[in-house]
Amino acid sequence: MSHSIFYLLSFVTLLFALLVVFAKNPIHSALYMVMTFFSITCHYILLNAQFLAIVNFIVYMGAIMVLILFAMMFLNLGKETEVQKPIYLKFAAVIAAGLLMLTIFAAIKKTDGGEISGLPINDIGLVKNLGKTLFKDFLLPFEIISILLLSAMVGSVLLAKREIN
Amino acid sequence: MDIYFIIEKLILISAILGVSLLIAMYTTLAERKFAGFFQDRVGPNRAGPWGILQPLADGVKLFTKEEIIPTNAGTFLFVLGPSLSMFTACITSAVIPWGPDLTLFGKTVALQVADINVGILYIFGVVSLGVYGIMIGGWASNNKFSLLGAIRAASQNISYELAMGLSIIALLMVTGTLSLREISIQQEGWHWNVLYQPIGFLIFLICSFAETNRTPFDLPECETELVGGHHTEYSSMKLGFYLFAEYINVFVSSAVLATLYFGGYNFPGMHLISNPNVVAILGVAALFIKILLFIFFFIWIRWTIPRFRYDQLMKLGWNILIPLSIINIVVTGLVIILKQ
């Protein structure tokens, strides 16, 4: 039961991820990305990671994608304004993408397609257990990441701030 | 899975959906009646006695109007916009506990569709999703006024979501749980959260107004500047969906406010009644009285306070509400530590 749901969800996720790339219209692309995030949220629910699922839902679908759409609506992207990249850049992009594909294929070939299993401890995804683990076993990394995020936030505010006079 | 379980939940879902649609229908009439009262008019009184058939007449009118899809609009997204608005408005009510457990035929029936242990975050997530309907519809209309409405909706939604989230954090510090059912149980016997979190309640209330796009925050459809805002190009029932979704949102926001801060289904003298079924029925009635009072409050504000200017709206969100809610979190934390 859970295996077939997993395969269906993975198919949907990959389908929408591909549509993000193939869609002609940037706004459609962004909407497909919303759907991709939604199917990733469903993956988290399948793993019984409720907190991660809902946070992924709020942060990525509710905030980040709204901001991206918001910015895109201002840009008025159309065929006329599309910038054509120089030919050497296109070649470089093709080679880089080919190398990435090679790496991914190599990585996939190494892994064995064994049993798909859930999380090692099945209730770790619930808010209470996750909070306890974060604040007991992983306190230092957690705090360091918080400081990193805070400094990134301060940095972005500084960059976005307009110079007076 | 038990077949009775599925039937029970199906009945509950249909009942909640029906009740929310019915209340939303009559909120439109109540709004126009109260608007008439506040402006010294009579209000709608032609359809049926005291105008009680007015919502039906409006519905028939909207259904029978001509459907217009603009030539240059993206057809799929144009239809998706209002549908998504309606959908997100309807799914929020899934985690609200409508009353204490009923006992029917020797079985316990929970008056809540889903008791997930991240209930508040679910509501928060769905609320933040609500803006997609407006954004998609406004963009797909291929109209500058609609686009401006959509952009306003997006920026307003993001700004007020932050303050709303911060006020929820302060509430969580007091309750210690994310499940709406447990929060309702904790508030029994006048331990209403509004008494512990008055400032948090105020911030949450203001943000609810902003998230439902009600006056004084209805900048996305500001008719003096933007014709009709995001629904300028819409006609017939697609317009009806946008308008109707707003009223469902008002109902659901009122239910969330009543559950989180005003004691949920608890009522004074609850422990005096011994029969659990009577308690459950009275509890549902108490919750609905609270919800109706909040709906009245929404209407009252709409016809009393004029619309903000856009810079005032942003200033209120970022310069006043967010610092205030951070101070609220700090004070709440200090009080909790001192009490221990």
Side-chain angles (χ1 to χ4, degrees):
Chain A
M1 178 73 179
S2 117
H3 274 211
S4 43
I5 294 176
F6 171 77
Y7 283 120
L8 183 73
L9 260 182
S10 307
F11 171 73
V12 170
T13 316
L14 289 176
L15 182 74
F16 280 120
L18 285 175
L19 282 172
V20 173
V21 184
F22 288 127
K24 285 255 166 67
N25 190 322
I27 298 271
H28 290 178
S29 231
L31 292 175
Y32 286 130
M33 195 142 159
V34 174
M35 288 311 296
T36 314
F37 283 133
F38 182 69
S39 32
I40 292 173
T41 302
C42 296
H43 274 291
Y44 283 128
I45 292 172
L46 203 62
L47 286 170
N48 204 15
Q50 293 186 1
F51 184 69
L52 260 183
I54 205 80
V55 166
N56 185 61
F57 188 86
I58 293 172
V59 173
Y60 284 93
M61 283 176 75
I64 291 180
M65 285 318 292
V66 173
L67 267 181
I68 289 179
L69 269 177
F70 175 71
M72 273 166 134
M73 284 180 177
F74 273 122
L75 290 179
N76 195 19
L77 295 164
K79 280 217 173 75
E80 307 90 52
T81 54
E82 201 177 338
V83 190
Q84 284 293 323
K85 296 264 167 24
I87 194 85
Y88 70 90
L89 261 182
K90 284 183 183 168
F91 268 113
V94 168
I95 292 167
L99 285 175
L100 181 65
M101 194 172 79
L102 194 73
T103 321
I104 291 173
F105 269 127
I108 290 172
K109 208 161 176 290
K110 276 245 171 180
T111 54
D112 54 335
E115 276 291 291
I116 309 156
S117 57
L119 289 173
I121 313 160
N122 220 7
D123 286 340
I124 191 96
L126 305 183
V127 190
K128 249 181 195 131
N129 305 335
L130 191 69
K132 274 188 183 138
T133 319
L134 272 183
F135 282 98
K136 257 185 198 154
D137 305 343
F138 298 98
L139 185 61
L140 188 65
F142 184 73
E143 296 287 330
I144 290 173
I145 288 173
S146 314
I147 292 169
L148 186 73
L149 279 175
L150 187 68
S151 52
M153 214 157 80
V154 173
S156 59
V157 169
L158 203 70
L159 282 177
K161 204 176 160 195
R162 227 175 287 155
E163 291 276 335
I164 298 160
N165 79 53
Chain B
M1 204 170 289
D2 190 0
I3 188 85
Y4 291 108
F5 178 77
I6 295 174
I7 292 172
E8 177 196 316
K9 289 295 176 197
L10 267 180
I11 292 172
L12 194 63
I13 291 169
S14 327
I16 289 169
L17 193 64
V19 167
S20 44
L21 292 180
L22 190 77
I23 287 188
M25 249 171 90
Y26 276 92
T27 310
T28 61
L29 178 65
E31 174 135 270
R32 294 168 67 183
K33 278 280 183 193
F34 279 120
F37 175 70
F38 288 138
Q39 297 170 348
D40 210 8
R41 298 185 278 116
V42 181
N45 66 348
R46 296 289 101 180
W50 307 290
I52 54 165
L53 297 177
Q54 187 68 37
L56 287 177
D58 285 341
V60 170
K61 186 195 93 176
L62 281 170
F63 265 116
T64 49
K65 270 182 145 183
E66 188 187 355
E67 288 232 32
I68 298 168
I69 295 181
T71 322
N72 289 324
T75 317
F76 179 69
L77 292 183
F78 192 76
V79 179
L80 184 70
S83 324
L84 207 60
S85 268
M86 196 71 176
F87 178 69
T88 48
C90 289
I91 58 173
T92 322
S93 54
V95 292
I96 293 169
W98 299 98
D101 289 344
L102 265 176
T103 315
L104 286 180
F105 315 115
K107 288 186 75 163
T108 321
V109 181
L111 292 177
Q112 183 183 21
V113 177
D115 182 23
I116 51 177
N117 68 8
V118 285
I120 299 183
L121 293 180
Y122 170 83
I123 287 181
F124 192 57
V126 174
V127 163
S128 64
L129 213 60
V131 74
Y132 278 110
I134 294 176
M135 283 185 86
I136 290 172
W139 183 80
S141 302
N142 205 9
N143 174 322
K144 288 208 167 56
F145 291 119
S146 305
L147 186 65
L148 280 173
I151 287 170
R152 279 185 176 187
S155 55
Q156 174 181 326
N157 199 284
I158 290 173
S159 311
Y160 280 83
E161 232 166 61
L162 289 173
M164 195 182 212
L166 290 172
S167 68
I168 288 178
I169 290 177
L171 179 70
L172 291 186
M173 288 162 75
V174 175
T175 59
T177 175
L178 287 162
S179 154
L180 287 173
R181 181 159 211 87
E182 278 173 44
I183 289 177
S184 292
I185 292 169
Q186 278 175 9
Q187 297 184 79
E188 201 185 325
W190 289 109
H191 293 294
W192 291 7
N193 283 329
V194 67
L195 303 173
Y196 301 102
Q197 281 289 321
I199 295 174
F201 166 69
L202 202 65
I203 296 166
F204 195 92
L205 184 72
I206 295 171
C207 294
S208 308
F209 274 86
E211 301 278 330
T212 47
N213 293 324
R214 295 277 299 185
T215 328
F217 300 97
D218 62 344
L219 273 296
E221 45 173 290
C222 174
E223 61 272 358
T224 46
E225 298 161 15
L226 295 181
V227 192
H230 59 272
H231 52 61
T232 305
E233 294 285 355
Y234 282 89
S235 64
S236 180
M237 205 52 208
K238 290 201 284 298
L239 172 69
F241 265 24
Y242 270 130
L243 303 182
F244 208 56
E246 183 187 314
Y247 287 98
I248 299 176
N249 275 326
V250 167
F251 167 66
V252 173
S253 298
S254 305
V256 171
L257 278 163
T259 310
L260 288 183
Y261 289 99
F262 272 76
Y265 51 71
N266 294 297
F267 56 92
M270 202 170 170
H271 58 278
L272 299 176
I273 305 164
S274 53
N275 189 341
N277 281 352
V278 176
V279 171
I281 290 163
L282 285 177
V284 173
L287 179 62
F288 272 91
I289 288 169
K290 288 172 191 172
I291 290 172
L292 292 180
L293 286 175
F294 269 114
I295 290 177
F296 169 70
F297 188 71
F298 270 86
I299 295 171
W300 188 17
I301 292 288
R302 173 161 181 185
W303 298 103
T304 314
I305 296 178
R307 186 180 288 137
F308 283 130
R309 228 173 38 227
Y310 201 68
D311 59 314
Q312 290 173 330
L313 172 107
M314 283 293 147
K315 209 173 200 167
L316 177 69
W318 289 95
N319 290 0
I320 299 174
L321 289 184
I322 292 180
L324 196 65
S325 48
I326 292 174
I327 293 170
N328 187 33
I329 291 177
V330 173
V331 171
T332 310
L334 280 177
V335 170
I336 289 174
I337 288 175
L338 289 178
K339 266 175 104 180
Q340 276 172 356

